[in-house]
């Protein structure tokens, strides 16, 4: 028993163990983590609230901008209607005075003459009729005669139409004169080098075998004796400055005569037109086209747009408006991604990306490090083929390559000396081509950042103003084409950087070029109101063969088709992904669809309206009440039949042209 009493285990004290320094630190760490987590939750909540407020403010700003545009447009329409009513009233008074004098023709001589107003017919009138006697019915000259009322109504309608046309012409003429006076101020130094020297053009009498637009502009009214000719400037953030003046163009298919209805001119022996061209240089819509006068089967109208179809050819297209994308400044450029799912636009200080299916803005790219003084318009945008990057060219002479997912700048290519007007990626995404007002195009390597300068070193003195307005790289990546202010389209060999072709034929600055999908053709658009198709198939092989044989290829590439129909500057061209259609945008406010095989115009689309102000457009066209702004930029989706347009009305639009007959054969 005694042995078991002392064999039990000793009891340990139950007090808590002493806390060491490690345990104390662990507790403090947990408390700090909890505090940080709470602060993070609070900051996240505040950030969510701020984002909601930002989205709400952006929505309100966009809504207010839309309302302002609607109010502005309503004011312009009311002012226009007021002018028409006033003009109609004055014409009616004048007509009534004339009728009054006509009724007095049979009254005996000796009656007193009433006073004649300024709108009366003739300096004086015939004797007044004797005072009316109560109870005596009106004579044969009375207004109560039914046939006289019918004739008078018909005359009133004709005179109203004539007065409206005359008033519109006078307004346009006054606007041109005002722009002429404004243009006489000294131009900015930065833009002098891009203006075309017109002295050579005025004295250049060389025949053009391809461009029929050597005609005087479509004058609305005869010029005032002794006054300088009215000139229309078109200058702004989306485009390089145009020539300060233009040589007169004689009448022809691209330019209707000053008076009377335009009639298709017969093709001369020196004009090359495509075979089986149903239009034969026709198809031009009148400058004051009224969709209400077009037969219903040849038009389609929306709430703020309309399409007119060419009645001389079989209708195979239909057009519908899908989205209208509001911006906060002029839309200088539009460009689709390679898969057609997204559309990029360039405006003042920002590039924006939209979902083409929903029309929702998915991304806004802004360089916060850029200077805040003045405007900084994005004049060109271009997606990389894989859709990961967006290249932008701006007025600050820099090319920015944006990582779209991160919304950050990946590369900045610096080297141009003036504004960058055009960008284009090669299909493999390795190269990007840029065109600038400094008379050069450049090829940039996306991998190592190196560049190759494509210079214009012709001996021709006109090339002093050879600023590059548009560039395009061929589908096989071997050729670069560039349109210039000096009317010439040039083509370089990408591999060597050497100039291998000059395409001459346009009579004014070339503002847009585009290769066909097969790379065999090149389409150019010019301020001479025409588009041209150039055969460049096998150009590189022909040059190499001629060089190997020690011969010079004097024949060069040929212009095989002229596209005639626009009534003003052609500013942008595009070719469909299947090569079947050519689309062009113009200062005449229209977008025209052309059959690429015959140069036949299928339809004309109009929808963009003027912004009514030039406050945010210091170098842009002076907008007026009765003149819509131009379609600055167009693009066709590489993946399907979707068209995008950008204009000075602060809008980009997405349209869908549809084929009526999928198996349409030419």
């Amino acid at each position: 028993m005694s042995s078991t009493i002392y064999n039990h285990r000793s009891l340990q004290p139950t007090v808590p163990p002493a806390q060491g320094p490690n345990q104390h630190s662990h507790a403090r760490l947990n408390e700090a983590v909890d505090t940080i987590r709470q602060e993070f939750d609070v900051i996240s909540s505040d950030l969510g609230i701020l984002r909601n407020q930002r989205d709400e403010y952006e929505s309100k700003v966009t809504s207010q901008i839309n309302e302002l545009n609607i109010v502005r447009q309503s004011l312009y329409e009311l002012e226009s209607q007021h002018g028409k009513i006033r003009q109609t009233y004055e014409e009616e008074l004048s007509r009534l005075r004339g009728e009054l004098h006509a009724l007095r023709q049979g009254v005996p001589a000796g009656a007193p003459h009433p006073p004649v107003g300024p709108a009366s017919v003739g300096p004086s009138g015939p004797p007044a009729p004797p005072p009316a006697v109560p109870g005596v019915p009106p004579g044969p000259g009375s207004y109560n005669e039914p046939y006289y009322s019918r004739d008078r109504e018909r005359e009133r309608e004709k005179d109203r139409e004539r007065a409206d046309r005359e008033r519109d012409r006078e307004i346009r003429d006054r606007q041109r004169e005002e722009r002429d006076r404004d243009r006489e101020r000294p131009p900015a130094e930065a833009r002098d080098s891009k203006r075309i020297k017109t002295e050579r053009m005025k004295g250049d009498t060389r025949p053009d075998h391809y461009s029929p637009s050597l005609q005087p502009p479509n004058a609305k009214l005869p010029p005032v004796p002794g006054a300088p000719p009215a000139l229309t400037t078109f200058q702004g953030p989306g485009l390089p400055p145009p020539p300060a003046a233009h040589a007169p163009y004689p009448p022809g298919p691209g330019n209707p005569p000053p008076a009377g209805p335009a009639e298709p001119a017969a093709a001369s022996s020196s004009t090359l037109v495509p075979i089986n061209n149903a239009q034969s240089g026709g198809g031009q819509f009148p400058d004051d086209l009224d969709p209400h006068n077009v037969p219903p089967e040849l038009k389609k109208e929306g709430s703020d747009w309309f399409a007119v179809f060419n009645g001389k050819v079989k209708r195979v297209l239909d057009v519908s408006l899908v989205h209208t994308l509001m911006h906060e400044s002029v839309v200088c450029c539009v460009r689709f991604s390679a898969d057609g799912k997204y559309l990029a636009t360039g405006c003042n200080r920002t590039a924006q990306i939209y979902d083409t299916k929903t029309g929702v803005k998915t991304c806004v790219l802004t360089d916060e490090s850029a200077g805040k003084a003045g405007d900084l318009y994005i004049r060109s945008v271009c997606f990389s083929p894989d859709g990961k990057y967006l290249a932008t060219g701006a007025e600050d002479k820099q090319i920015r390559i944006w990582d779209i997912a991160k919304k950050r700048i990946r590369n900045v290519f610096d080297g141009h000396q003036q504004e960058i007007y055009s960008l284009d990626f090669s299909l493999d995404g390795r190269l990007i081509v840029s065109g600038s007002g400094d008379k050069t195009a450049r090829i940039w390597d996306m991998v190592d950042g190196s560049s190759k300068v494509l210079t214009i070193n012709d001996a021709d003195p006109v090339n002093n103003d050879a600023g590059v307005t548009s560039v395009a790289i061929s589908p096989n990546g071997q050729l670069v084409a560039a349109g210039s202010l000096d009317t010439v389209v040039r083509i370089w060999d990408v591999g060597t950087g050497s100039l291998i072709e000059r395409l001459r034929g346009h009579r004014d600055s070339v503002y847009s070029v585009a290769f066909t999908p097969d790379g065999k053709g090149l389409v150019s658009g010019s301020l001479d109101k025409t588009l041209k198709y150039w055969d460049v198939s096998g150009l590189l092989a022909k040059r190499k063969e001629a060089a190997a044989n020690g011969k010079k290829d004097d024949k060069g590439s040929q212009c095989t088709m002229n596209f005639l129909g626009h009534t003003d500057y052609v500013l942008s061209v595009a070719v469909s992904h299947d090569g079947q259609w050519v689309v062009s945008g113009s200062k005449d406010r229209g977008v025209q669809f052309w059959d690429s095989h015959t140069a036949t115009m299928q339809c004309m689309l109009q929808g963009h309206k003027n912004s009514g102000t030039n406050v945010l457009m210091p170098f842009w066209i002076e907008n007026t009440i009765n003149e819509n702004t131009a379609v600055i930029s167009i693009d066709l989706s590489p993946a399907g039949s979707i068209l995008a347009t950008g204009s000075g009305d602060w809008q980009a639009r997405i349209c869908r042209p549809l084929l009526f007959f999928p198996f349409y054969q030419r």
Side-chain angles (χ1 to χ4, degrees):
M1 289 295 293
S2 61
S3 62
T4 59
I5 294 175
Y6 300 100
N7 291 336
H8 69 279
R9 296 179 179 178
S10 60
L11 298 176
Q12 301 293 329
T14 58
V15 296
Q19 294 182 354
N22 293 336
Q23 293 177 343
H24 184 69
S25 300
H26 184 69
R28 292 183 60 188
L29 182 62
N30 289 337
E31 291 178 0
V33 170
D34 291 338
T35 303
I36 293 173
R37 183 182 295 109
Q38 292 175 1
E39 292 180 356
F40 178 78
D41 292 339
V42 172
I43 293 174
S44 298
S45 176
D46 293 342
L47 181 61
I49 294 173
L50 291 175
R51 285 177 177 172
N52 293 335
Q53 290 178 351
R54 181 199 63 185
D55 295 340
E56 183 179 355
Y57 289 149
E58 287 183 353
S59 176
K60 289 181 179 179
V61 169
T62 303
S63 176
Q64 290 176 357
I65 289 174
N66 293 339
E67 291 177 0
L68 285 174
N69 288 334
I70 293 173
V71 171
R72 185 186 295 115
Q73 189 64 29
S74 300
L75 288 175
Y76 296 151
E77 292 176 355
L78 288 173
E79 186 171 351
S80 177
Q81 292 176 3
H82 171 72
K84 291 182 179 180
I85 292 173
R86 180 176 179 179
Q87 183 68 22
T88 303
Y89 173 74
E90 293 176 353
E91 292 293 329
E92 188 68 18
L93 286 179
S94 175
R95 191 184 333 285
L96 291 175
R97 289 191 182 100
E99 292 173 355
L100 211 58
H101 287 296
L103 291 174
R104 293 168 183 162
Q105 292 288 341
V107 178
H113 288 249
V116 180
S120 300
V121 179
S124 61
V133 180
V136 178
S142 171
Y143 290 88
N144 294 334
E145 295 186 72
Y147 75 91
Y148 185 86
S149 298
R150 288 194 299 270
D151 291 342
R152 186 180 62 177
E153 288 298 327
R154 285 194 294 269
E155 291 177 0
R156 287 178 181 176
E157 291 297 329
K158 293 179 181 178
D159 288 338
R160 286 194 193 100
E161 295 175 359
R162 188 183 306 108
D164 289 342
R165 289 194 297 268
E166 292 292 332
R167 184 178 58 83
D168 290 340
R169 291 174 180 173
E170 292 174 357
I171 290 175
R172 291 171 185 163
D173 204 56
R174 286 196 300 269
Q175 293 165 359
R176 291 192 183 96
E177 293 175 356
E178 291 174 0
R179 286 195 290 269
D180 290 341
R181 289 193 297 269
D182 293 340
R183 192 173 54 254
E184 290 177 0
R185 65 180 181 274
E189 294 180 0
R191 299 178 184 270
D192 283 346
S193 59
K194 297 189 293 298
R195 297 182 182 274
I196 289 186
K197 302 293 187 295
T198 56
E199 288 77 13
R200 178 186 180 278
M201 288 186 174
K202 290 181 179 179
D204 190 356
T205 58
R206 291 176 297 176
D208 183 2
H209 299 282
Y210 306 113
S211 179
S213 305
L214 308 177
Q215 293 157 326
N218 185 16
K220 301 301 180 184
L221 288 176
V224 179
L231 301 174
T232 302
T233 61
F234 192 79
Q235 183 175 341
L239 295 169
H246 296 285
Y249 300 105
N255 300 280
E263 298 180 359
S268 65
S269 59
S270 63
T271 302
L272 178 63
V273 294
I275 301 175
N276 298 328
N277 185 356
Q279 285 183 247
S280 297
Q284 177 173 312
F285 289 105
D287 191 26
D288 54 351
L289 175 66
D290 185 359
H292 299 290
N293 297 331
V294 179
E297 66 274 10
L298 296 180
K299 68 178 179 180
K300 183 176 181 179
E301 293 186 79
S303 59
D304 57 351
W305 63 275
F306 67 90
V308 178
F309 298 89
N310 187 359
K312 298 180 181 180
V313 298
K314 185 177 182 180
R315 179 178 171 182
V316 297
L317 279 180
D318 191 18
V319 182
S320 61
L321 178 64
V322 180
H323 299 296
T324 298
L325 311 175
M326 298 299 301
H327 290 67
E328 297 180 7
S329 68
V330 176
V331 182
C332 303
C333 50
V334 294
R335 198 72 172 264
F336 283 102
S337 60
D339 57 9
K341 294 182 180 179
Y342 298 98
L343 175 72
T345 64
C347 52
N348 191 16
R349 294 194 171 274
T350 65
Q352 305 178 25
I353 300 177
Y354 295 85
D355 187 311
T356 57
K357 185 175 182 180
T358 63
V360 174
K361 185 191 301 181
T362 62
C363 184
V364 177
L365 304 175
T366 305
D367 187 358
E368 299 295 342
S369 64
K372 303 299 181 183
D375 294 328
L376 181 61
Y377 282 96
I378 309 299
R379 298 196 176 190
S380 181
V381 293
C382 186
F383 282 98
S384 62
D386 58 9
K388 295 181 180 180
Y389 307 111
L390 182 73
T392 63
E395 291 182 321
D396 62 359
K397 313 168 191 176
Q398 289 185 340
I399 302 170
R400 296 171 175 85
I401 309 297
W402 295 84
D403 187 318
I404 298 175
K406 298 178 181 179
K407 298 183 181 180
R408 295 178 181 175
I409 297 176
R410 176 182 181 269
N411 300 94
V412 175
F413 294 144
D414 202 346
H416 281 295
Q417 302 303 311
Q418 291 187 18
E419 293 94 331
I420 296 163
Y421 294 130
S422 183
L423 297 171
D424 195 22
F425 265 104
S426 61
L427 288 184
D428 60 3
R430 175 69 183 264
L431 304 177
I432 183 169
V433 182
S434 59
S436 168
D438 62 8
K439 310 172 192 175
T440 68
R442 291 178 180 246
I443 303 176
W444 308 85
D445 193 307
M446 287 286 291
V447 177
D448 58 21
S450 62
S451 67
K452 185 182 298 182
V453 181
L454 308 178
T455 58
I456 299 174
N457 51 9
D458 302 355
D460 197 334
V462 74
N463 297 322
N464 291 332
D465 293 304
V468 177
T469 60
S470 177
V471 293
I473 188 167
S474 62
N476 60 10
Q478 297 180 356
L479 302 176
V480 167
S484 300
L485 293 175
D486 64 355
T487 76
V488 181
V489 178
R490 293 173 176 84
I491 300 178
W492 287 269
D493 182 350
V494 172
T496 63
S498 59
L499 180 65
I500 61 175
E501 183 64 290
R502 299 177 184 86
L503 306 178
R504 303 181 185 271
H506 281 295
R507 301 297 298 179
D508 212 330
S509 302
V510 179
Y511 264 39
S512 186
V513 293
F515 279 100
T516 57
D518 58 8
K520 297 181 180 180
L522 181 71
V523 178
S524 59
S526 167
L527 300 192
D528 65 10
K529 310 176 188 178
T530 71
L531 292 79
K532 292 182 181 293
Y533 178 91
W534 308 87
D535 181 7
V536 296
S537 58
L539 175 61
L540 199 57
K542 292 177 183 177
R543 292 292 180 180
K544 289 181 179 179
E545 181 180 357
N549 297 332
K551 298 179 180 179
K552 185 178 179 180
D553 185 8
D554 295 329
K555 184 177 181 181
S557 301
Q558 299 296 316
C559 173
T560 60
M561 280 190 292
N562 285 307
F563 299 76
L564 310 175
H566 281 295
T567 59
D568 215 322
Y569 303 154
V570 177
L571 304 176
S572 185
V573 299
V575 184
S576 63
H577 68 289
D578 57 2
Q580 303 299 313
W581 300 97
V582 172
V583 182
S584 55
S586 169
K587 186 177 175 286
D588 63 13
R589 313 182 303 273
V591 175
Q592 296 193 12
F593 295 79
W594 311 82
D595 186 321
S596 65
H597 293 73
T598 63
T600 303
M601 183 182 58
Q602 174 69 210
C603 74
M604 184 271 292
L605 174 67
Q606 277 194 8
H608 286 288
K609 301 293 182 183
N610 67 307
S611 63
T613 178
N614 58 2
V615 175
L616 295 180
M617 294 178 285
F619 301 111
W620 195 240
I621 182 173
E622 181 181 354
N623 295 313
T624 54
I625 293 173
N626 295 301
E627 183 178 82
N628 295 335
T629 57
V631 179
I632 304 172
S633 178
I634 63 171
D635 193 30
L636 286 170
S637 171
S641 56
I642 304 178
L643 169 72
T645 62
S647 178
D649 60 1
W650 300 11
Q651 293 181 4
R653 296 196 174 202
I654 299 178
C655 304
R656 188 180 299 276
L658 300 174
L659 275 174
F660 279 149
F661 309 104
F663 301 101
Y664 168 59
Q665 300 293 332
R666 293 172 174 79

